[in-house]
């Protein structure tokens, strides 16, 4: 298939491009490099441009007959989305609509969308399945839910088929060591811990230890980047076979506390780095764990890197080679 990967130079997008090319798909990555890196597109072709630019999209869609579009080009910082919601609504919603309209104009009707656990808001029960109510508590989560809603309407009106994949905590790196996580500034737990282990950061701060969990720190469901990418490929195959839109929650179904992730990282790296406990970070639910039974049943998704140790080992390999 010929696939357009929007945000293909970012963390998840670059892993997706590699996996698709190695599975013999013809891939074009579109990225404006606001958060992505040119050298992260090691496979396929990179077009530097913005998903909100109609002319760029017209040129791309005129030059290539795409079978599908995958969209990874959103801003992802919850805290920033509260302080600067305009940036989030502009890129994550308005620009995404420009992309969807270009798809319809050029008769490309298969879309895979990076959604998030943040669309659910404060969990009412755990693990979280697809039926859980969707009441996001920050602008970031709202932008993702809005796109899911737009997609429902676009399916009804224009026959645009979509699969929304709600990631829980994407983590880890390419096991070949070619790609990894490079956010700037970094805000995610696993890379921050490993920066403390490698000495690029003085310490790791635990944001609150008075949560109603076993050890008082927040519990999350960490899922390996390659397993997430695999789910996209399976979702595309299924969507083309059934001609139906779908939504899936993606996680391993097991939660680990911040302290457990730190302890496992100490074991994996063999380094005893400094840990400091600070105040809670605003907007963090105590526990976020996915029920991915539907993805397993309908997509045949079976995570291969589901051990926390493996997730951290691959991220550590990246931290110690790329940033050396
Ligand atoms: N944490 C720390 N110290 C840090 C960084 C994080 O204790 O230096 C804690 C957080 O408070 C949280 C956990 O580690 O409890 C995980 O935090 P991340 O920032 O790595 O991930 P989040 O769970 O906040 O965010 C993830 C995605 C978001 C998405 C969100 C859905 O990265 O894009 O899940 O709730 F919005």
């Amino acid at each position: 298939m010929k696939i357009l990967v929007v945000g293909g130079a970012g963390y998840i997008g670059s892993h997706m491009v590699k996996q698709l090319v190695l599975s013999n798909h013809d891939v074009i990555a579109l990225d404006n490099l606001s958060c992505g890196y040119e050298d992260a597109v090691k496979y396929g072709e990179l077009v530097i441009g913005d998903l909100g630019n109609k002319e760029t999209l017209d040129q791309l869609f005129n030059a290539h007959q795409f079978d599908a579009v995958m969209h990874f080009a959103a801003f992802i910082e919850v805290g920033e989305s509260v302080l600067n919601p305009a940036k989030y609504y502009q890129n994550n919603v308005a620009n995404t609509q420009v992309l969807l309209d270009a798809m319809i104009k050029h008769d490309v009707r298969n879309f895979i969308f990076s959604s998030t656990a943040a669309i659910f808001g404060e969990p009412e029960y755990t693990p979280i399945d697809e039926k859980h109510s969707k009441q996001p508590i920050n602008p970031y989560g709202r932008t993702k839910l809005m796109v899911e809603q737009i997609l429902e309407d676009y399916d009804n009106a224009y026959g645009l088929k979509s699969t929304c994949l709600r990631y829980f905590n994407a983590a880890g790196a390419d096991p070949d060591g070619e790609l990894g996580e490079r956010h700037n500034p970094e805000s995610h737990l696993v890379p921050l811990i490993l920066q403390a282990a490698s000495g690029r950061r003085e310490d790791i701060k635990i944001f609150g230890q008075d949560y109603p969990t076993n050890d008082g720190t927040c519990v999350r469901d960490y899922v390996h980047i390659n397993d997430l990418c695999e789910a996209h490929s399976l979702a595309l195959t299924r969507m083309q076979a059934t001609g139906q839109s779908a939504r899936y929650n993606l996680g391993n179904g097991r939660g680990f506390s911040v302290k457990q992730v730190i302890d496992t990282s100490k074991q994996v790296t063999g380094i005893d780095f400094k840990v400091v406990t600070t105040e809670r970070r605003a907007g963090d639910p105590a526990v976020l764990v996915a029920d991915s039974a539907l993805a397993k049943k309908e997509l045949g998704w079976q995570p291969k890197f589901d051990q926390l140790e493996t997730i951290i080992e691959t991220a550590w390999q990246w931290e110690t080679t790329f940033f050396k």
Side-chain angles (χ1 to χ4, degrees):
M1 278 188 265
K2 187 155 207 171
I3 301 168
L4 176 65
V5 178
V6 184
Y11 170 45
I12 304 181
S14 63
H15 286 76
M16 190 73 238
V17 168
K18 175 174 178 179
Q19 201 175 98
L20 289 170
V21 171
L22 293 184
S23 306
N24 295 320
H25 295 295
D26 194 357
V27 179
I28 300 224
L30 173 69
D31 203 299
N32 65 6
L33 301 182
S34 64
C35 302
Y37 298 88
E38 202 164 350
D39 66 4
V41 185
K42 298 201 185 301
Y43 300 78
E45 182 190 329
L46 171 65
V47 173
I48 298 173
D50 201 283
L51 82 150
N53 185 318
K54 284 184 192 161
E55 289 74 37
T56 303
L57 295 176
D58 275 338
Q59 276 172 17
L60 257 179
F61 284 103
N62 281 330
H64 305 275
Q65 186 53 56
F66 293 110
D67 298 291
V69 175
M70 294 187 180
H71 177 20
F72 300 89
F75 294 127
I76 58 164
E77 298 260 340
V78 171
E80 184 188 48
S81 79
V82 175
L83 296 173
N84 189 4
K87 175 178 172 179
Y88 279 70
Y89 287 109
Q90 177 62 51
N91 184 63
N92 294 9
V93 182
N95 289 355
T96 298
Q97 195 190 354
V98 173
L99 173 67
L100 297 176
D101 291 348
M103 287 179 66
I104 288 158
K105 177 175 169 192
H106 294 275
D107 202 22
V108 181
R109 284 169 206 269
N110 288 299
F111 187 68
I112 310 261
F113 180 59
S114 287
S115 190
T116 169
I119 65 164
F120 295 109
E122 203 57 53
E124 286 159 7
Y125 56 85
T126 183
I128 297 176
D129 59 15
E130 288 76 6
K131 295 190 191 79
H132 190 284
S133 69
K134 292 151 196 86
Q135 297 180 61
I137 55 171
N138 52 60
Y140 166 70
R142 278 191 277 278
T143 64
K144 291 287 185 171
L145 183 58
M146 282 176 186
V147 173
E148 289 207 11
Q149 290 164 336
I150 291 172
L151 288 169
E152 230 177 284
D153 292 337
Y154 273 38
D155 186 358
N156 291 334
Y158 313 124
L160 179 81
K161 300 299 163 192
S162 65
T163 302
C164 297
L165 299 173
R166 290 99 174 228
Y167 316 149
F168 280 61
N169 286 63
D174 172 20
D176 300 339
E178 283 190 312
L179 301 167
E181 197 166 358
R182 250 195 286 172
H183 294 117
N184 187 18
E186 189 51 73
S187 67
H188 292 114
L189 182 65
V190 171
L192 287 173
I193 290 174
L194 297 180
Q195 287 178 14
S198 71
R200 287 206 295 136
R201 174 173 297 273
E202 201 179 311
D203 54 37
I204 181 70
K205 295 185 174 48
I206 298 180
F207 296 148
Q209 56 175 357
D210 55 350
Y211 285 96
T213 59
N214 283 343
D215 63 19
T217 65
C218 285
V219 168
R220 294 288 181 274
D221 184 341
Y222 296 88
V223 53
H224 193 274
I225 182 94
N226 277 40
D227 288 329
L228 284 182
C229 292
E230 178 70 18
H232 289 68
S233 299
L234 292 166
L236 180 55
T237 305
R238 183 172 194 276
M239 195 162 60
Q240 291 211 312
T242 62
Q244 306 240 315
S245 294
R247 279 99 183 86
Y248 301 105
N249 294 357
L250 297 179
N252 282 311
R254 281 196 318 270
F256 291 94
S257 71
V258 173
K259 276 190 179 156
Q260 285 177 309
V261 179
I262 291 173
D263 289 345
T264 308
S265 300
K266 287 188 174 181
Q267 280 163 24
V268 166
T269 62
I271 297 169
D272 187 15
F273 47 87
K274 190 171 166 197
V275 179
V276 176
T277 301
T278 61
E279 292 299 294
R280 287 183 177 201
R281 185 174 69 178
D284 273 339
V287 179
L288 272 179
V289 176
D291 179 342
S292 293
L294 190 66
K296 288 181 176 160
K297 179 167 161 250
E298 292 193 353
L299 301 178
W301 185 55
Q302 201 47 61
K304 297 185 185 72
F305 304 95
D306 60 345
Q307 299 301 308
L308 183 61
E309 287 79 4
T310 318
I311 293 174
I312 294 171
E313 272 162 23
T314 57
W316 182 234
Q317 172 176 234
W318 172 250
E319 171 68 29
T320 51
T321 51
F322 187 80
F323 296 103
K324 156 175 99 181

